[in-house]
Amino acid sequence: MRTLERNLSVLSKREYDLVIIGAGIFGVCAAWEAVLRGLSVAIIDKGDFVSATSANHFKMAHGGIRYLQHGDIPRIRESSRERSALLRIAPHLVKPLPIVIPTYGHGIKGKAFLGAGIMLYDLLTLDRNRDILRNRMIPGGRFLSRRKVIELFPGIEGKKLTGGAVFFDGQIYNSPRLGIAFLRAAVEAGADSANYVEVHGFLRKNARIIGVKARDVLSRDEFEVRAKMILNTAGPWAHRLLNAKLGLEISPLPTFSRDLAFVVKRKTSHDYGIAFSTVTKDTDTIIDRGGRHLFAVPWREYTLIGVWHQVFQGLPEEITVTRDEMQKFLQEVNSAFPAMDVSLKDILMINTGLTLFGSEDDQKNNNLSFGKRSLVIDHAKEHGLEGILTLIGVRATTARGMAAKAIDIIIDRLNKKRTKSRTTNIPIWGGDFRSMNDLIRDARREFPKTLKPEIINALIYNYGSKYRELFKYMNENPNWLKPLGNSTVLEAEIIHAVREEMAQKLSDVVFRRTDLGAGGYRDKSVLQRSAEIVANELGWNEERLCQELKETEKVFPQF
């Protein structure tokens, strides 16, 4: 069984069918898709795997119900199909989430109107539960009484409240680990991978790209990786890379919105999320119900609130959220739903990233028209340059499907026989099981009784059917079975992240391999102990250890 081993010498020793630049969710899905179609694949990223937007979104597997307002039936079907695929192939990481839309009066915000919309959505997605585990199925919509809505959400505006309409969407337990699971599946099937490897140029022969010039970000060593095809999945860096290294310009020039959500330490007594209207308009809807919805949803031991969209014109590296911006967002949240009563001191973690928005023409105002489609650009057709495609994705939910479309084109360019995609049904790393309840029961029987049930549950959610990989570390050192502080993360998981999942920095471990950073700042002793374990594995000196601690602490909110 192949693990994520950072062996850069391998990359320069062969010619691949495909090199993928950018290991966000679209890149790792493309790697999994390509290797299952029989291609030799290498995937590299100038940062860590599944970082930036791929790690910091609202953690939803969207089924497309919002596109009813746009009358966009194809996108409803696409979104539902891709959500179903995630529920099939990653049942440990994706689950159904009920969301309540409060109903008011008897007009466009009333039960009859919303009920008709949800019924239409259910009809359009009748195949949404095909081959999905029973406890991962998406139920049909239903209604709640006025009393039940008030019971679930005390303090909700009660004037003219008639109850609530409920629809179900998908929620991702851990978005970085979803990407890592795709990547590990690809690597086990034969792909090569490396993080912290940047592309500083392309190898070109006449009008064809034949590889990339790469640089190890950590050692500064340079090398070449040769390939018959290149897939550029570098997200908001993608068009900049093309322009800087090849002189290619995408037209119209893509622009991005900064999507923002935040985590607060509020655990609800139920599993329902709530949608509430804001003053921000969704400008291209056919049916306007009075403003775009924000959501407050239960997530682990917390509540996740979002999403706030704003056009962002700076460099991806410059993405920030100021205190004033957060205050403005909180005012909008509290104005729309006063019962939330959230303040800066409640915020544990901020999730923000750049999502493809549209073109420069769409920047006329900040009332965003979102729901734009992903871009697949064949540079042979657009620029007369063979050997390279660019995929810039919109939503993580559709990454698998868009990756399949890109790989279709690449297979055609390689003059290989196109075979049907199988990634809608083959479980990714950790997803090969038939019952979540049975898996948790087996794990509780196999792990020592000293581990709390919530720790074992977290292990199953993160590792799925691969949870036994942690046993070897426990056998090597029983002390690694201890959780770090009051977290659900075992010391063994830190060892596992370094030895088998290519973690190179403390932030890789805290934010993308384990749950340590998901709900905000852990106390100093937890980060210190984590850093000591990584330092021992990677041979850091005291200076490097302190540097890694400082870099990690800066990621947490500083309000």
Side-chain angles (χ1 to χ4, degrees):
M1 182 177 63
R2 300 181 75 209
T3 61
L4 302 185
E5 182 181 0
R6 194 170 186 270
N7 186 352
L8 303 189
S9 64
V10 170
L11 297 175
S12 60
K13 290 181 178 178
R14 63 185 296 191
E15 181 188 43
Y16 293 92
D17 290 322
L18 175 65
V19 166
I20 300 171
I21 305 170
I25 188 64
F26 284 81
V28 296
C29 284
W32 174 228
E33 181 73 37
V35 77
L36 280 187
R37 304 265 203 114
L39 302 187
S40 57
V41 179
I43 179 169
I44 56 178
D45 196 294
K46 71 174 185 176
D48 190 25
F49 303 125
V50 205
S51 54
T53 305
S54 295
N56 292 296
H57 52 73
F58 195 53
K59 312 191 191 318
M60 296 286 284
H62 295 282
I65 193 170
R66 66 173 306 278
Y67 301 128
L68 278 175
Q69 289 181 272
H70 301 255
D72 196 340
I73 306 304
R75 291 209 72 191
I76 293 172
R77 293 288 300 150
E78 176 194 29
S79 298
S80 176
R81 181 173 63 249
E82 294 305 322
R83 179 186 61 189
S84 295
L86 290 174
L87 288 164
R88 267 193 304 275
I89 67 178
H92 54 310
L93 287 161
V94 185
K95 68 174 185 177
L97 173 71
I99 298 176
V100 178
I101 306 177
T103 55
Y104 293 91
H106 301 284
I108 201 168
K109 295 185 178 182
K111 280 188 175 181
F113 184 86
L114 278 172
I118 290 175
M119 183 180 297
L120 176 59
Y121 175 77
D122 287 345
L123 287 172
L124 290 169
T125 60
L126 279 175
D127 58 349
R128 62 187 177 274
N129 290 319
R130 180 176 57 83
D131 297 328
I132 292 175
L133 300 185
R134 182 172 297 278
N135 67 350
R136 289 299 186 257
M137 290 183 176
I138 299 292
R142 54 191 174 87
F143 290 109
L144 298 179
S145 67
R146 183 178 187 275
R147 176 181 294 180
K148 183 63 175 179
V149 172
I150 292 173
E151 176 188 323
L152 291 172
F153 304 102
I156 191 173
E157 173 58 50
K159 187 178 181 181
K160 295 186 178 180
L161 178 71
T162 58
V166 180
F167 72 93
F168 285 77
D169 222 332
Q171 185 178 62
I172 300 169
Y173 177 82
N174 187 324
S175 46
R177 286 221 61 91
L178 178 62
I180 293 294
F182 272 106
L183 180 63
R184 292 210 61 176
V187 168
E188 283 192 0
D192 293 327
S193 64
N195 53 2
Y196 297 103
V197 172
E198 64 181 343
V199 171
H200 67 90
F202 288 87
L203 301 175
R204 185 169 180 169
K205 184 177 182 179
N206 300 322
R208 173 175 287 278
I209 300 300
I210 59 171
V212 299
K213 299 176 182 178
R215 180 185 296 119
D216 184 349
V217 173
L218 304 178
S219 69
R220 310 310 296 174
D221 291 340
E222 296 186 359
F223 57 97
E224 296 178 348
V225 188
R226 296 186 174 271
K228 297 172 184 175
M229 290 293 300
I230 305 294
L231 178 60
N232 174 17
T233 57
W237 289 272
H239 66 293
R240 292 177 168 87
L241 177 65
L242 294 170
N243 185 261
K245 305 304 179 183
L246 289 172
L248 301 183
E249 187 167 292
I250 298 175
S251 181
L253 193 66
T255 57
F256 297 82
S257 72
R258 184 197 60 186
D259 287 8
L260 173 68
F262 60 91
V263 180
V264 296
K265 180 62 175 177
R266 294 186 186 177
K267 179 174 172 54
T268 61
S269 59
H270 55 77
D271 295 328
Y272 290 89
I274 186 169
F276 47 97
S277 297
T278 71
V279 296
T280 303
K281 301 294 183 182
D282 187 357
T283 57
D284 62 354
T285 56
I286 295 174
I287 302 171
D288 181 7
R289 297 187 62 252
R292 180 168 55 81
H293 281 109
L294 289 177
F295 297 86
V297 300
W299 180 68
R300 306 190 188 188
E301 302 296 309
Y302 316 103
T303 295
L304 189 58
I305 301 175
V307 177
W308 194 30
H309 309 267
Q310 187 175 60
V311 171
F312 183 83
Q313 297 175 317
L315 297 173
E317 295 85 355
E318 297 173 350
I319 185 170
T320 57
V321 182
T322 67
R323 183 186 183 92
D324 288 344
E325 287 175 324
M326 278 307 306
Q327 286 281 27
K328 182 180 178 181
F329 188 22
L330 293 179
Q331 288 171 8
E332 185 170 355
V333 170
N334 290 330
S335 175
F337 191 6
M340 283 289 173
D341 191 26
V342 290
S343 63
L344 289 177
K345 63 179 175 57
D346 297 316
I347 297 174
L348 298 177
M349 195 66 194
I350 294 173
N351 295 322
T352 185
L354 297 180
T355 299
L356 182 66
F357 167 52
S359 66
E360 288 181 334
D361 294 337
D362 298 315
Q363 297 184 46
K364 296 176 182 177
N365 59 66
N366 281 337
N367 289 332
L368 296 188
S369 163
F370 55 112
K372 301 296 181 180
R373 284 171 167 78
S374 300
L375 298 177
V376 179
I377 302 165
D378 184 347
H379 296 288
K381 291 183 176 181
E382 295 295 323
H383 301 101
L385 185 60
E386 298 282 351
I388 182 168
L389 265 72
T390 291
L391 166 59
I392 305 177
V394 175
R395 296 194 181 280
T397 310
T398 60
R400 187 221 61 84
M402 290 307 302
K405 291 178 181 180
I407 298 305
D408 281 343
I409 298 172
I410 286 168
I411 287 174
D412 289 345
R413 293 291 176 270
L414 291 170
N415 294 317
K416 293 179 179 288
K417 182 180 179 181
R418 187 190 290 191
T419 56
K420 185 179 180 181
S421 172
R422 297 184 292 148
T423 54
T424 58
N425 294 300
I426 296 179
I428 59 174
W429 191 88
D432 188 14
F433 58 90
R434 292 304 304 167
S435 168
M436 192 72 173
N437 291 335
D438 289 350
L439 196 65
I440 291 174
R441 184 198 62 214
D442 291 345
R444 288 182 178 178
R445 186 171 59 242
E446 294 171 28
F447 277 106
K449 301 297 184 184
T450 52
L451 285 186
K452 296 179 180 178
E454 57 266 30
I455 293 176
I456 296 175
N457 290 350
L459 291 171
I460 296 303
Y461 297 146
N462 280 315
Y463 302 97
S465 57
K466 301 291 188 177
Y467 70 88
R468 294 180 181 88
E469 284 203 357
L470 297 174
F471 287 170
K472 56 180 171 287
Y473 305 111
M474 299 172 191
N475 294 333
E476 181 179 340
N477 186 341
N479 289 328
W480 290 342
L481 190 61
K482 298 186 304 185
L484 288 151
N486 62 353
S487 77
T488 59
V489 178
L490 302 178
E491 291 193 1
E493 292 181 73
I494 309 295
I495 304 293
H496 179 265
V498 176
R499 292 187 186 178
E500 300 197 31
E501 295 189 337
M502 215 185 294
Q504 301 295 305
K505 300 176 68 63
L506 178 61
S507 56
D508 300 344
V509 170
V510 172
F511 300 113
R512 289 175 290 278
R513 303 299 188 282
T514 73
D515 287 340
L516 281 178
Y521 185 73
R522 293 291 176 185
D523 63 63
K524 185 78 173 182
S525 64
V526 169
L527 292 184
Q528 178 71 33
R529 176 57 184 155
S530 301
E532 289 170 355
I533 296 172
V534 179
N536 185 62
E537 288 293 310
L538 296 180
W540 294 346
N541 59 24
E542 186 65 25
E543 181 182 3
R544 173 68 184 276
L545 188 152
C546 292
Q547 176 189 340
E548 291 285 335
L549 277 169
K550 288 179 181 178
E551 289 180 2
T552 301
E553 288 170 348
K554 285 181 180 178
V555 178
F556 294 103
Q558 304 297 313
F559 304 128

